[in-house]
Amino acid sequence: MKKSLSVNLNKIALIRNSREGNYPSVLDHANVCIDNGADGITIHPRPDLRHIKPQDAYDLSTLISKLKNSIMRPIELNIEGNPFAPKQLNYPGFIKLVDEIQPDQCTLVPDTKTQLTSDHGFDLGLDGDKLYPIITRLKSLGIRVSLFVEPSLSCIKLASELGASRIELFTGPYAAAYGTNELENIFEQYVISAKFAHELGLGVNAGHDLNLNNILKFSSIPELQEVSIGHALIVDAIRIGLGETVRCYKSILSS
């Protein structure tokens, strides 16, 4: 199965926000990623506006809509975030933003105000009832809905019952175990989880701390459809350039 690469541009926006102005430009870097083979762009607009801002989301939506009409391959916009994040100051609320932009994919993530990054999946036994109407609403708009989850069979079964289109497997434990004696046991959990999700009719995405060292093994999972990579990819880009970095990841995912 073809593995897609969605590049998360949060870190580009974070650097830009450290100074006044629009340098580096999120749109310019999105273009570089797509020109070098990225299958999509991921953004995670948070209420504190620490990196991606609402205007970035609108601008990227416009850019990708134009690119879809000018290049001969699919390009997607994936917006991820906490579906319960409300409106505050210059942040319109996560679901309102998604409603207005209508991205190709919306990945629902259980992050909080104090988290540096998304570091755990949903407890669907706890949050499922609240998520169900949101999932239903977004799907009615033609948006593919993915839930950020742990490699847990019970959680994946609940994701299917809630009507999710895909799951995104939180790969933090895999990345942490890479190079240790625990890797094979942990990796097997992901293999089993991906197979189970596929059997239930769910698409399988993955993300968190995947990098050039550990992605080859993870991408061997047959059911895997998409990886979303931001932090490591941007760090690699500092060393070897953004275009070359995207090509490296795409080469591994295609092997």
Side-chain angles (χ1 to χ4, degrees):
M1 183 181 292
K2 176 181 179 293
K3 275 76 170 174
S4 297
L5 171 66
S6 187
V7 178
N8 187 316
L9 292 178
N10 288 356
K11 285 299 189 295
I12 298 298
L14 180 69
I15 297 170
R16 177 202 60 193
N17 293 351
S18 68
R19 302 281 287 270
E20 294 183 0
N22 187 40
Y23 185 79
S25 163
V26 171
L27 290 185
D28 287 350
H29 284 74
N31 272 311
V32 171
C33 292
I34 293 166
D35 286 346
N36 285 277
D39 303 288
I41 298 297
T42 290
I43 53 173
H44 189 144
R46 287 181 165 88
D48 61 10
L49 307 181
R50 71 180 78 164
H51 36 59
I52 290 292
K53 297 180 179 180
Q55 190 59 51
D56 295 320
Y58 296 118
D59 292 344
L60 282 166
S61 178
T62 299
L63 172 68
I64 290 176
S65 293
K66 291 179 179 177
L67 289 173
K68 286 178 179 178
N69 296 323
S70 63
I71 61 178
M72 302 302 294
R73 61 186 179 87
I75 300 295
E76 294 192 343
L77 177 62
N78 173 44
I79 299 181
E80 61 181 28
N82 185 343
F84 310 122
K87 172 181 172 57
Q88 61 181 63
L89 298 176
N90 295 321
Y91 183 77
F94 182 75
I95 293 300
K96 179 175 174 56
L97 188 62
V98 173
D99 278 351
E100 292 179 349
I101 290 173
Q102 297 190 20
D104 301 282
Q105 179 170 267
C106 178
T107 303
L108 305 181
V109 179
D111 61 352
T112 65
K113 293 180 181 179
T114 58
Q115 285 178 237
L116 288 176
T117 185
S118 304
D119 58 12
H120 64 278
F122 272 111
D123 179 345
L124 294 180
L126 179 65
D127 295 318
D129 288 345
K130 293 184 293 182
L131 285 168
Y132 178 73
I134 295 172
I135 294 169
T136 302
R137 176 181 174 186
L138 295 179
K139 287 179 67 179
S140 74
L141 297 173
I143 300 170
R144 183 198 309 135
V145 181
S146 179
L147 295 179
F148 196 63
V149 299
E150 313 281 343
S152 156
L153 300 189
S154 61
C155 189
I156 292 168
K157 185 173 186 296
L158 284 172
S160 176
E161 292 172 353
L162 289 170
S165 312
R166 293 189 184 184
I167 55 167
E168 179 173 333
L169 292 170
F170 167 57
T171 51
Y174 164 81
Y178 195 81
T180 74
N181 294 332
E182 298 298 317
L183 178 62
E184 291 306 322
N185 287 336
I186 290 176
F187 179 63
E188 185 63 18
Q189 295 175 23
Y190 287 93
V191 172
I192 293 169
S193 295
K195 182 178 180 181
F196 183 60
H198 181 71
E199 290 171 349
L200 293 176
L202 291 166
V204 180
N205 299 343
H208 194 84
D209 285 347
L210 294 174
N211 58 42
L212 287 175
N213 294 323
N214 62 33
I215 194 173
L216 178 60
K217 183 177 182 65
F218 199 89
S219 66
S220 70
I221 297 175
E223 296 79 12
L224 182 64
Q225 290 175 258
E226 176 183 300
V227 295
S228 173
I229 305 178
H231 181 82
L233 190 149
I234 299 304
V235 172
D236 291 328
I238 294 172
R239 179 170 54 90
I240 61 176
L242 182 56
E244 178 62 22
T245 298
V246 171
R247 291 194 296 273
C248 286
Y249 277 96
K250 282 293 295 181
S251 176
I252 293 171
L253 291 169
S254 300
S255 62

